Amino acid sequence: MSGKGISGNLREIEERIARAAERAGRRAAEITLVGVSKTFPAEAIVEAFAAGVRHFGENRVQEWEGKRGAVAELAGCWHLIGHLQSNKAARAARLFDSVDSVDELGLAQRLDRARGEAAGGKKLRVLIEVRIAPEETKSGVEEGQLAALATGVRALAHLELAGLMCIPPFLEDAQRVRPFFRRLRELRDGLAARVGLALPVLSMGMSHDFEAAIEEGATEVRVGTALFGVRSAAGADA
Ligand SMILES: *Cc1c(COP(=O)(O)O)cnc(C)c1O
């Protein structure tokens, strides 16, 4: 990573987002940066917030439980982006503003129940994670099950289904990831028509491929390394 620090990294990412949006004839304001802070301490979140980041992604409930006290004062929007086991769903429903990795109806039902019991009454935003490359990735719902899952999630009173998310295979050449991003957009378009929901959110693109994702319609990009630096090996796949 360059020695520019988080705010310098952020300025660079924002420029790259702006250029990619321009190439696609989109406005940069349509794209939300989710800073992926997994494995980094709460101080890094504080620093990124001060630099202007408002959305943060964590991929483990337990790790977030350990950090959130230190950032409780920040008016951030906290996303769970990692695979969620159903025995942790109740905690996740209370600790996050959005769960971006819903891939099973039973999980959604648990989130719904816990959110309903939690004070406040604000719906939990969720995205459905689609297994866009079945041979290469494990998490996410199969394309063939997507419509049924979306219909089930949509019926849950305390969840707000906002769109889709995917984690395509890691390919060195970001251009080769592009067809996966395009596929997610097409699935969203088809699903939105079928279930009669807008489903405006497409969460796709990470540090090395977010520009291609933006050109293919991403509205949220999840950027860790390019913002915070390289993660230690222990947390690389946390
Ligand atoms: C770690 C992670 C990211 C960020 O990856 P970088 O390559 O560091 O930008 C994005 N999405 C998910 C689901 C992740 O687990």
Side-chain angles (χ1 to χ4, degrees):
M1 208 69 255
S2 57
K4 286 186 289 304
I6 290 173
S7 69
N9 292 341
L10 176 62
R11 298 287 93 83
E12 242 170 50
I13 293 164
E14 286 174 339
E15 273 173 35
R16 288 168 60 189
I17 289 175
R19 283 197 300 268
E22 197 182 318
R23 282 196 297 277
R26 306 179 59 200
R27 291 179 306 118
E30 292 169 26
I31 295 131
T32 300
L33 171 68
V34 179
V36 177
S37 45
K38 65 185 182 193
T39 80
F40 286 95
E43 296 78 66
I45 297 176
V46 172
E47 200 180 326
F49 189 93
V53 179
R54 290 295 176 269
H55 290 254
F56 294 87
E58 289 279 340
N59 69 342
R60 288 180 158 190
V61 174
Q62 208 156 335
E63 185 184 336
W64 176 233
E65 277 174 330
K67 286 188 214 175
R68 63 190 285 271
V71 296
E73 301 299 306
L74 306 184
C77 185
W78 314 105
H79 299 236
L80 180 67
I81 61 171
H83 181 71
L84 178 60
Q85 290 165 341
S86 48
N87 61 358
K88 293 187 181 140
R91 275 147 72 201
R94 293 187 178 90
L95 297 173
F96 290 94
D97 299 299
S98 180
V99 174
D100 297 356
S101 51
V102 170
D103 60 358
E104 208 210 299
L105 188 57
L107 176 64
Q109 287 166 335
R110 283 185 186 225
L111 288 169
D112 179 65
R113 206 174 313 131
R115 191 68 171 203
E117 287 162 5
K122 190 167 175 281
K123 286 188 181 192
L124 175 66
R125 191 194 85 149
V126 297
L127 304 178
I128 291 180
E129 180 180 351
V130 183
R131 196 172 162 198
I132 204 83
E135 318 77 39
E136 287 149 286
T137 52
K138 295 184 296 266
S139 57
V141 65
E142 302 284 342
E143 285 185 18
Q145 315 290 315
L146 174 60
L149 178 56
T151 304
V153 171
R154 176 196 178 174
L156 299 170
H158 308 289
L159 303 187
E160 183 209 332
L161 177 58
L164 304 181
M165 181 272 230
C166 74
I167 309 175
F170 181 91
L171 299 169
E172 212 51 67
D173 176 4
Q175 294 308 320
R176 292 181 51 217
V177 191
R178 199 179 277 274
F180 296 101
F181 296 142
R182 192 172 305 153
R183 181 74 192 138
L184 193 72
R185 171 164 46 84
E186 288 168 359
L187 285 170
R188 188 277 309 272
D189 293 348
L191 184 66
R194 188 160 162 185
V195 301
L197 280 179
L199 302 177
V201 176
L202 283 176
S203 174
M204 55 189 195
M206 316 197 338
S207 289
H208 81 292
D209 58 14
F210 69 79
E211 286 139 310
I214 288 168
E215 290 179 31
E216 296 299 336
T219 64
E220 293 181 8
V221 292
R222 307 179 308 269
V223 178
T225 312
L227 181 62
F228 291 107
V230 178
R231 289 181 290 278
S232 66
D237 198 26

